[in-house]
Amino acid sequence: MAFLDHDPETFAAAAAAGFVAVHGELVQQVPGGVVRATRSAADEVAVVIGGGSGHYPAFGGLVGPGLAHGAVLGNIFASPSAHQVTDVARCAEQGRGVLLSYGNYAGDVLQFEAGAERLRQSGIPVRSVAVTDDISSAPPAEASKRRGIAGDLVVFKIAGAAATAGYDLDGVARVAEAANAATRSLGVAFSGCTLPGADEPLFRVPAGRMSVGLGIHGEPGLEDVDIPTPHGLAELLVGRLLAEVPGGHDPHGRRVIVILNGLGSFKYDELYVVFDEVRRALAARGIVLADARVGEFCTSFEMSGLSLTLCWPDEELEGLWRAPARSAAYVQGSPADDALRTVDLADRAVGDPAGAGATTPAASEQSRAYVPRILTALETLSRTVDEHADDLGRIDAVAGDGDHGLGMQRGAHAAVAAARAAGAAGAGAGTTLRRAAEGWSDDAGGTSGALWGLILGAVAEAIGDTDSPTADAVRRGVRDACARVIEHGGAHVGDKTMVDALAPFAAALDDEPSTPLTTDWPRAAEAARRAADGTAAMLPKLGRARTHGAKAVGTPDPGAVSFALIVTALGEQALR
């Protein structure tokens, strides 16, 4: 996307503002994303979709009558935060519950599920459906690990139509799950994409070759093949997708919905040439074309490539797919405009509860006196991330989307700003660190944002606001942080994640509880560093790097590396 000189810190927000300015008759901006500008006469289940920016028209371009009621917009290729999810959902919901739907990526799952829990605690019923259509990202036996790509559109459209038709929350979730189960996709690329502010693409495809099985966040394909003819490409895509017809049924005579999706710079004329070959390939196998869509529905900045999605609907799903809908990027039939009315969000309570106007809990003088030390530690953390951000991005780009350094910077900067504001408001040590945790999670988004929010939050809870923090409280906080990251993230030692550095750090810090923390911390940090280095030899078992297997061997996990760098710097700062 580096055609202009963009600031990656503000790019996503600026794009969202411009989008809303153009499409104000369909959407309005709210904290965390966009919601419909109008609503039907009858209350509906709210379908709230979302993910990182950089995929337009996913996700804001799919908000409108007959489609989604709201979209949560994360930063560039980063999942939105749990706060964003709850804010958008509260603005979109109409008293009949909320269906959250998003691609099956670790950060999105962590943040949307955390948001769902907050909504439930406030009395709003919630169901979630993670889209898993990409056949290249896991074998059929592990379909639940697959990521979501252009098949998002099928799930979002059918869920939105069901909500418009008056289905209850369980009914909307049922058809969304059925649509996901009926949908398969596969993508190819001829070149990678470049993030705003970056100098190089996230991956390169050798001249004369085509990468098969890529992701939409700059993840390279799983194999490179010679560039085929349009006929050869259609046969490759159709052949591989037909090897996975849902239910294992013979596809002959079955009806299929086809979506041919351009990923950014593979444009319409060439897409239509490929579609004509796809149509012929399906017809030659006796498959009936129920409907077809050709265009851009889920992109990856300026990536040159495309994906083919096949959905095998039953009668109910096909009827919902064909139901009228209108959004900035998708039109089906003619929704009844006379049944719509303008949405008034004046009474919706949204926004960061830890932000301006939030009450600062009472704290002891001893706890408040410790706040400058917390600020110093967070500033050290932030400087360390800034110094290593480029290296962390390069490590992440080997088998991921290359944004780990940028995401860590956003989170660390936000944590420092939130902690300073809390300290200025007279907060104690625990509240100051908790506000930092919330700031990190909100601004960073993604997996790292969720996990560092958990880490800082656990330590904040342990030290509290009553007394000056003790070494035992810090040890307990780190121990609890490790447990929470494992519980919420699902990773264990050996999976090639941050846990590989966090777990030995927590164990070493707890090993000699009678010795001073200033003695144990450097030893624990060294254990984390060795463990982070050791991840280079591992095969990734979770996250985006998992799909690339051997490509990630020889490169350490960026989350483990950044954790080790941070705790090392904190130990050195404490000894000065």
Side-chain angles (χ1 to χ4, degrees):
M1 191 66 188
F3 299 122
L4 301 176
D5 183 14
H6 293 290
D7 180 355
E9 293 279 351
T10 61
F11 180 89
F19 166 69
V20 172
V22 173
H23 297 291
E25 81 285 2
L26 287 167
V27 298
Q28 56 183 314
Q29 196 157 19
V30 298
V34 297
V35 297
R36 290 187 194 175
T38 60
R39 62 182 291 174
S40 303
D43 292 338
E44 299 174 1
V45 171
V47 176
V48 175
I49 63 176
S53 297
H55 306 300
Y56 188 85
F59 294 88
L62 301 178
V63 172
L67 255 162
H69 297 74
V72 195
L73 307 179
N75 219 309
I76 303 168
F77 285 6
S79 68
S81 71
H83 277 151
Q84 289 180 278
V85 173
T86 56
D87 281 350
V88 173
R90 284 176 178 141
C91 288
E93 70 94 15
Q94 301 176 13
R96 298 195 62 195
V98 174
L99 176 80
L100 300 175
S101 191
Y102 45 87
N104 187 38
Y105 299 90
D108 291 292
V109 172
L110 282 168
Q111 300 282 15
F112 273 87
E113 286 306 305
E117 186 55 35
R118 294 181 188 182
L119 291 168
R120 293 186 188 102
Q121 290 173 358
S122 67
I124 299 174
V126 182
R127 294 285 301 274
S128 295
V129 176
V131 182
T132 57
D133 59 305
D134 181 11
I135 67 168
S136 72
S137 53
E142 298 180 337
S144 63
K145 295 181 179 179
R146 288 177 168 173
R147 58 198 176 197
I149 51 175
D152 284 355
L153 174 63
V154 178
V155 178
F156 300 163
K157 171 62 180 70
I158 285 173
T164 302
Y167 285 44
D168 64 12
L169 179 58
D170 287 342
V172 174
R174 175 182 61 80
V175 294
E177 289 168 349
N180 183 53
T183 303
R184 305 285 188 274
S185 300
L186 178 63
V188 300
F190 307 94
S191 68
C193 64
T194 305
L195 296 181
D199 297 322
E200 298 290 333
L202 290 174
F203 69 90
R204 298 181 183 276
V205 180
R209 304 282 279 175
M210 177 180 76
S211 188
V212 181
L214 64 130
I216 58 169
H217 300 95
E219 305 97 330
L222 302 183
E223 61 175 310
D224 291 341
V225 300
D226 289 341
I227 291 180
T229 63
H231 173 77
L233 177 57
E235 286 294 328
L236 183 153
L237 294 171
V238 170
R240 294 196 185 187
L241 289 172
L242 291 186
E244 282 205 26
V245 177
H249 303 300
D250 182 353
H252 185 86
R254 292 189 64 181
R255 297 173 64 80
V256 68
I257 296 167
V258 177
I259 299 172
L260 192 63
N261 171 66
L263 284 165
S265 62
F266 195 98
K267 305 309 289 186
Y268 284 79
D269 287 340
E270 203 164 9
L271 283 170
Y272 283 120
V273 171
V274 175
F275 173 75
D276 191 51
E277 294 292 345
V278 168
R279 175 186 64 82
R280 294 172 185 274
L282 293 170
R285 293 163 171 86
I287 297 167
V288 179
L289 192 63
D291 193 27
R293 290 277 166 164
V294 176
E296 294 179 348
F297 306 106
C298 185
T299 61
S300 185
F301 282 119
E302 88 292 9
M303 183 186 292
S304 176
L306 59 89
S307 63
L308 178 64
T309 298
L310 300 182
C311 173
W312 307 86
D314 59 18
E315 185 176 351
E316 179 184 29
L317 296 185
E318 185 174 339
L320 293 168
W321 171 260
R322 291 182 175 279
R326 181 163 59 90
S327 73
Y330 187 94
V331 177
Q332 173 79 45
S334 301
D337 288 349
D338 58 351
L340 302 176
R341 55 189 173 88
T342 302
V343 173
D344 181 4
L345 297 175
D347 61 341
R348 301 298 173 102
V350 298
D352 181 2
T359 301
T360 300
S364 70
E365 184 177 343
Q366 297 94 319
S367 181
R368 289 197 301 271
Y370 200 86
V371 167
R373 296 181 65 178
I374 288 177
L375 290 174
T376 298
L378 289 170
E379 289 162 354
T380 298
L381 181 158
S382 184
R383 283 196 303 272
T384 301
V385 170
D386 287 342
E387 291 167 3
H388 295 90
D390 290 344
D391 288 338
L392 292 172
R394 281 192 289 272
I395 293 171
D396 189 36
V398 171
D401 56 12
D403 71 343
H404 183 69
L406 180 60
M408 290 289 289
Q409 281 185 298
R410 286 195 300 262
H413 295 172
V416 170
R420 286 173 178 163
T431 295
T432 298
L433 195 55
R434 177 171 59 81
R435 297 278 172 85
E438 292 167 349
W440 190 313
S441 178
D442 280 356
D443 274 41
T447 305
S448 65
L451 298 184
W452 274 97
L454 289 171
I455 290 169
L456 297 184
V459 178
E461 187 177 313
I463 64 178
D465 291 326
T466 304
D467 302 302
S468 180
T470 65
D472 286 344
V474 173
R475 287 187 171 96
R476 183 172 70 254
V478 172
R479 186 169 62 246
D480 291 347
C482 184
R484 291 181 189 184
V485 167
I486 291 172
E487 177 187 358
H488 290 274
H492 296 85
V493 172
D495 286 344
K496 194 165 186 171
T497 69
M498 178 204 286
V499 171
D500 288 299
L502 172 58
F505 175 79
L509 200 64
D510 229 15
D511 194 38
E512 296 288 344
S514 61
T515 59
L517 191 63
T518 52
T519 300
D520 284 345
W521 192 284
R523 184 167 61 245
E526 176 60 20
R529 186 197 62 77
R530 289 196 304 269
D533 290 346
T535 62
M538 295 179 181
L539 279 168
K541 298 179 182 177
L542 289 176
R544 292 176 186 167
R546 174 187 55 80
T547 58
H548 300 284
K551 288 186 178 181
V553 175
T555 302
D557 177 72
V561 170
S562 60
F563 179 85
L565 288 169
I566 287 168
V567 294
T568 298
L570 291 176
E572 292 171 350
Q573 177 257 317
L575 291 174
R576 286 198 292 268

